[in-house]
Amino acid sequence: MEMKLKTLMKDSISEVLSGMFFSPVEFSEDFTAEGINDFLKNRNLVIARILVEGESLLEIYAAVLPETMEELTLNFTGKSIAEMSDIEGSLMEMLNMAGGEIVADFFESPETRLHIPEICSESDLLDSLSDKNTEKILIKCNLIDGELLFVGSLRKPEIER
Amino acid sequence: MGKLTIMVVDDSSPMREVIIKTIKAAGYSSDNFIQASNGQKALEQMQGNWIDLLVTDYNMPDMDGLELIEEMQKDEVFSSVPVLIITTERRDELINMFMEKGAAGYLKKPFKPEDIRQKIIEILGERICDGNEAEDFDEGLDF
């Protein structure tokens, strides 16, 4: 199930980044949990998350350096640096679009709900990573202008019991 | 045909910018755009403004796109405004519900720019372009 979700996440991230942010993406195939600390270390990252509530509970986090997100936002909105709009809003919309693809392809319950994305803190992400009752999906994207980390945290009903 | 007034409703301001930019690039560059960040604000903005087309997201705080359509259907004037839903949702049951409630069209995010043009033409007909023809449509998109 985790492999299916990882594949779906990669496909949706790739579609959103290439289709709406005009950014080709390569995935770091050898990225593991040990790499997370290096990614987070001493960096003032912009972090957003979205919750999908269906037969399982899935939280997806996205973390990125502000300067990388600025470049992506310029691509997304087509605005100049002087007219730069909200980079946090662009990151949340990226998660929203990727989440929508995953809802359709991974969840079966017609009651599945894609929540509204929100900005969160590094400690929220670290808390999620340390939760032993969830399966983690780690995806590091290499972009032309930097890196983007996605973390999926899947809580299955049988694990909750 | 005069200029169109198009309302774009989405809680993401970057996405509203993208939708407006895409619609302009599709040939509606001289038209008027009104923005709102959720269904409730859209209804407030509609008071006193004639809207030719309403383009809305589904998943928004306070009042979502489906609730907005339901509220519009209760009003004699607003119920005649065509609504295009642009959303990340693509579950059949939800899309069917959009259409049953009165949406004129549905488009999935992420979308291709030409998809918006095609949907608007489907909804409003060919009456609307202001001179930027389809052949320079792609070049007009300076993302």
Side-chain angles (χ1 to χ4, degrees), chain A residues 76 93 101 105 110 112 114, chain B residues 12 18 59 90-91 108-109:
Chain A
F76 182 47
E93 191 56 38
E101 296 282 308
D105 292 331
T112 300
L114 179 69
Chain B
S12 164
V18 169
N59 199 12
R90 57 185 173 91
R91 286 171 290 167
K108 179 180 85 72
K109 293 180 195 171

Side-chain angles (χ1 to χ4, degrees), chain A residues 120-153:
Chain A
C120 62
S121 66
E122 188 177 307
S123 64
D124 291 326
L125 173 56
L126 291 172
D127 286 349
S128 177
L129 284 165
S130 64
D131 184 345
K132 291 186 168 42
N133 293 322
T134 59
E135 299 292 337
K136 311 294 185 310
I137 292 100
L138 307 175
I139 297 174
K140 189 162 92 85
C141 307
N142 299 314
L143 312 173
I144 292 171
D145 296 307
E147 299 169 329
L148 187 53
L149 175 69
F150 287 88
V151 175
S153 180

Side-chain angles (χ1 to χ4, degrees), chain A residues 15-16 19-20 22 73-79 83 85-86 89-90 93 96-98 100-101 103-105 109-116, chain B residues 10-19 21-22 57-62 87-91 93-94 108-113 141-143:
Chain A
E15 184 181 354
V16 170
M20 298 301 288
F22 302 93
T73 300
L74 292 177
N75 288 349
F76 182 47
T77 61
K79 299 256 176 175
E83 303 169 300
S85 63
D86 165 18
S90 297
E93 191 56 38
N96 189 37
M97 288 188 277
E101 296 282 308
V103 166
D105 292 331
S109 166
E111 304 300 319
T112 300
R113 185 174 166 217
L114 179 69
H115 286 247
I116 292 169
Chain B
D10 198 307
D11 56 324
S12 164
S13 66
M15 182 49 85
R16 291 200 302 272
E17 290 173 11
V18 169
I19 291 170
K21 183 179 175 64
T22 308
D57 186 19
Y58 163 61
N59 199 12
M60 297 179 289
D62 299 331
T87 175
T88 57
E89 295 279 359
R90 57 185 173 91
R91 286 171 290 167
E93 59 270 24
L94 200 53
K108 179 180 85 72
K109 293 180 195 171
F111 51 80
K112 293 180 183 148
L141 276 174
D142 184 24
F143 284 110

Side-chain angles (χ1 to χ4, degrees), chain B residues 14 20 40-41 52 68 71 82 90 92 109 118 135:
Chain B
I20 290 171
Q40 186 60 52
K41 289 182 178 165
D52 294 288
L68 171 59
E71 287 302 313
R90 57 185 173 91
D92 289 341
K109 293 180 195 171
Q118 190 53 46
E135 56 265 25

Side-chain angles (χ1 to χ4, degrees), chain B residues 31-96:
Chain B
D31 293 304
N32 300 315
F33 292 90
I34 299 173
Q35 298 186 47
S37 59
N38 63 42
Q40 186 60 52
K41 289 182 178 165
L43 287 173
E44 290 165 14
Q45 294 261 57
M46 288 170 82
Q47 304 291 337
N49 283 307
W50 174 255
I51 308 294
D52 294 288
L53 174 67
L54 188 140
V55 179
T56 184
D57 186 19
Y58 163 61
N59 199 12
M60 297 179 289
D62 299 331
M63 183 186 286
D64 67 30
L66 197 57
E67 292 166 328
L68 171 59
I69 293 174
E70 287 172 340
E71 287 302 313
M72 289 172 66
Q73 293 301 320
K74 294 175 187 169
D75 183 280
E76 191 179 348
V77 176
F78 297 165
S79 62
S80 66
V81 176
V83 177
L84 171 60
I85 292 237
I86 302 183
T87 175
T88 57
E89 295 279 359
R90 57 185 173 91
R91 286 171 290 167
D92 289 341
E93 59 270 24
L94 200 53
I95 295 163
N96 291 339

Side-chain angles (χ1 to χ4, degrees), chain A residues 1 7 52 58 80-81 88 90 100 118 124 134 154:
Chain A
M1 185 184 255
T7 302
V52 185
L58 173 66
S80 66
I81 289 176
E88 293 181 345
S90 297
E118 59 183 2
D124 291 326
T134 59
L154 180 68

